[in-house]
């Protein structure tokens, strides 16, 4: 049941992210262009996406790795299913997190730097 819930959440996140872009949200190109800025801001400690970026990096490594939880050769289509779910989750996560980052960037640009004087 837990795996089904995670899969449905991944598909729902992907659908929400794609629908948001279709309804006037950031385009796919803007989201992908934001990815390097998001990584830099996270590495500098300015943006709080460290755990999410680590999970996305782990998912990407799993997809390209020759070692699988469910190997493709003996399990045929079932061996590809875990990769498909991982790619879907990764795509949804990247789209959702870049949208969150773009919103953070927009809010950040409207803040005037300085110190609060008591």
């Amino acid at each position: 049941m837990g795996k089904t819930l995670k899969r449905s959440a991944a598909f729902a996140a992907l659908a929400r992210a794609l629908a948001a872009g279709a309804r006037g949200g950031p385009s796919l190109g803007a989201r992908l262009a934001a990815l390097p800025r998001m990584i830099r801001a996270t590495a500098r400690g300015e943006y709080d996406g460290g755990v999410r970026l680590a999970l996305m990096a782990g998912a990407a490594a799993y997809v390209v790795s020759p070692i699988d939880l469910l190997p493709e050769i003996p399990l045929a289509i079932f061996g590809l299913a875990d990769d498909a779910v991982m790619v879907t989750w990764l795509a949804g996560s990247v789209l959702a997190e870049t949208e969150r980052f773009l919103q953070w960037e927009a809010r950040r640009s409207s803040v005037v730097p300085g110190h609060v004087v008591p």
Side-chain angles (χ1 to χ4, degrees):
M1 170 128 169
K3 288 183 181 181
T4 304
L5 182 61
K6 290 177 185 176
R7 288 180 189 149
S8 62
F11 288 121
L14 180 60
R16 276 193 311 273
L18 290 175
R23 289 188 222 132
S27 68
L28 182 60
R31 292 172 194 243
L32 293 178
L35 200 53
R37 293 192 316 271
M38 182 175 68
I39 292 168
R40 277 193 304 275
T42 301
R44 283 184 260 169
E46 298 169 357
Y47 182 66
D48 68 346
V51 172
R52 289 178 293 278
L53 280 175
L55 289 172
M56 288 186 271
Y62 178 80
V63 169
V64 298
S65 169
I67 301 171
D68 271 345
L69 191 61
L70 298 173
E72 281 83 11
I73 293 177
L75 297 176
I77 194 76
F78 298 110
L80 294 174
D82 67 326
D83 289 335
V85 168
M86 193 63 69
V87 166
T88 303
W89 178 86
L90 180 59
S93 296
V94 167
L95 292 174
E97 191 60 28
T98 52
E99 182 172 359
R100 182 176 171 268
F101 175 75
L102 289 169
Q103 291 170 350
W104 174 81
E105 260 187 339
R107 281 192 314 270
R108 185 173 180 225
S109 67
S110 66
V111 174
V112 176
H115 299 292
V116 176
V117 178

